Amino acid sequence: MSKFIKINEITISSDHYIGGQRVAAEHYLEVFSPIDGQVLGQVANGSPSIINQAIEAAERAFPAWAALSAAERKVYLDKFADEIGKRADEFALTESTDAGVLFSRMQHGVVGRAQLNIRHFAEHALRLQNHSIDTKQAEHLVRHDPAGVVVIITPWNAPLMLSTWKLGPALASGNTCILKAPEWAPCTSSLLADAAQAAGIPPGVFNVVQGTGLESGAGLVADPRIARVSFTGSVPTAKLIAQSAAQNLVPCSLELGGKSPFIVLATADIDNAAATAALMYRNAGQVCLAGTRLLVHESIKDEFVEAMRAYVEALNVGDPRDPATEVGPIIHQRQVERVAGFIERAKAAGAVVLWGAEKHPFGELYFKPTLLTNVKQDDEIVQNEVFGPVLTLQTFSHDDELIAMANGTDYGLGGVCYGEQQHATEIAKRVRTGFIWVNSFGIRDLEAPFGGIKRSGIGREGGNWSFEFFCDIKDVVVPKKPFRASFSQR
Ligand code: NAD
């Protein structure tokens, strides 16, 4: 029997969405809201039979969807984006309730960006047609052919944004998709299925499989019928996925965690840098690209800390549905314990608390924005991703020392560098990450490459990079002069 989750007046199917239909599960999992820890309802778990049904449905839909032109697919995808827009408030309240993302951020940023993710890549796909390289001997018709059935796996911290960022280019290229929703925040993936159905996306082109990583994710990734895996999540899970996909030589795109440096040079606009540093606590620090290691020139450390303290003290911690809230809850009790464990071990290793380091009185899953100093480069708290509202502060006296610290972890996702523009830009070039913001934070463009190096990931998303991953690139070589085989030919 079908099940539903109710959030205010919003009814969300708990079931899988396969071949254009809701499919009930044998087993369901409880879904909690991080706002107050209350049970929201249940969501389907996966099984080998569900995985098989989803892959069969996606395979069946593939030939017809792949045969459409990019312009024909764009008509469907624009409608898909329209349907997301029609339910903007539902998407916003749902993700705020099941993932704890700020409602204001959902409403004013994320839902619009989700629509843009679909529209933009549908438009970009038009440009990939008729690409040719004209040489003396031949015309090379470079084709971006759809690869087949794509598995998309997303984490709980930004499910709507991350799923559409992958679905846009995957569907626009002519692939059929199976979205494996995050089990701690499954609801907006289910709403996406409703939007796809309302948009008339043909059955099987877009499927949603709910459930745990082990029961749903691992089974999908191990199946030899799939053509691509696009994953965003943690490093340990990525290693399992890469090993599994390697059995069938299935290409994986892996967007993983970070421990990004937030650099403040002696020449920085201190107040500006401090205001941006306080932003790192947004989403309770559950943001992969946050600059969580503050590396501050020793000459301005005290001034910077006091400026930042003022911004942090002014932050409103509370219910993410309240428009005044700036820092919401941590997703799950397990994650709260993980954050607290990191802090305790750091303190035992000598870290000094500048602020925070304890639960926030607002509720069980709320944690105070925290800054730890007196930490060493090889300390666990400097080396490992906490994924909570916890930053560290280290100082440096010269550029080479700074670069050694900035590059001295296994991660390489992003970074921030505040200082005199030219100097900051030169430092930014020396930091080994997939991207870095100079005197700014969070500026993104769908045409620009996004992704990490080292343990922060493999591959790039955005612009052409997304299509190079989701497509089979093929060169059809058409000679200009009649061709006659000859052994002397080079
Ligand atoms: P996670 O790796 O635990 O889970 C991510 C997804 O993988 C979930 O849907 C989960 O069900 C699934 N999964 C788990 N085990 C699996 C398996 N064996 N096979 C297939 N799928 C499996 O990550 P999380 O805790 O949900 O998310 C937090 C992590 O995501 C952090 O490390 C964060 O930095 C990272 N993240 C990275 C980016 C980025 O763009 N680089 C963006 C957001 C989050």
Side-chain angles (χ1 to χ4, degrees), residues 47-233:
S47 63
S49 139
I50 288 295
I51 289 163
N52 188 46
Q53 284 179 54
I55 295 177
E56 277 184 1
E59 275 195 314
R60 257 196 316 276
F62 177 70
W65 183 248
L68 296 180
S69 68
E72 287 166 325
R73 286 194 289 266
K74 186 174 180 304
V75 174
Y76 285 103
L77 294 175
D78 283 343
K79 281 194 195 143
F80 188 17
D82 291 344
E83 290 298 328
I84 296 170
K86 280 185 203 164
R87 294 150 202 231
D89 287 344
E90 293 186 17
F91 274 100
L93 183 63
T94 299
E95 195 150 298
S96 189
T97 307
D98 82 339
V101 179
L102 298 182
F103 178 71
S104 56
R105 189 159 162 64
M106 289 299 300
Q107 224 186 8
H108 300 302
V110 177
V111 180
R113 170 66 193 273
Q115 291 176 271
L116 189 62
N117 283 339
I118 305 285
R119 284 193 213 289
H120 180 90
F121 289 108
E123 177 77 30
H124 187 119
L126 301 174
R127 280 183 262 144
L128 295 177
Q129 293 183 322
N130 309 321
H131 175 199
S132 72
I133 301 169
D134 199 16
T135 68
K136 216 165 105 190
Q137 282 184 303
E139 195 181 2
H140 296 255
L141 306 171
V142 180
R143 293 180 55 82
H144 285 72
D145 288 337
V149 175
V150 166
V151 171
I152 292 173
I153 304 180
T154 49
W156 44 262
N157 67 319
L160 178 62
M161 153 58 205
L162 292 170
S163 55
T164 49
W165 162 243
K166 295 171 186 298
L167 282 170
L171 291 171
S173 318
N175 302 295
T176 53
C177 296
I178 303 170
L179 172 63
K180 205 306 266 168
E183 58 270 43
W184 280 355
C187 293
T188 43
S189 301
S190 188
L191 291 182
L192 270 181
D194 291 342
Q197 194 172 40
I201 302 266
V205 168
F206 171 56
N207 308 277
V208 177
V209 168
Q210 299 282 4
T212 64
L214 236 46
E215 273 127 324
S216 299
L220 286 165
V221 172
D223 197 288
R225 292 169 290 180
I226 65 166
R228 295 286 189 277
V229 180
S230 180
F231 171 75
T232 297

Side-chain angles (χ1 to χ4, degrees), residues 153-158 162 165-166 180-184 211-214 216-219 221 231-238 240-241 254-258 286-289 335 385 387 411 413 435 444 450-452 456 461:
I153 304 180
T154 49
W156 44 262
N157 67 319
L162 292 170
W165 162 243
K166 295 171 186 298
K180 205 306 266 168
E183 58 270 43
W184 280 355
T212 64
L214 236 46
S216 299
V221 172
F231 171 75
T232 297
S234 66
V235 174
T237 305
L240 293 175
I241 287 177
L254 306 171
E255 295 281 0
L256 312 178
Q286 301 163 118
V287 179
C288 60
L289 47 72
Q335 195 69 9
E385 184 185 49
F387 221 55
Y411 289 101
L413 188 58
F435 54 90
R444 301 267 303 266
F450 181 85
S456 290
E461 295 185 85

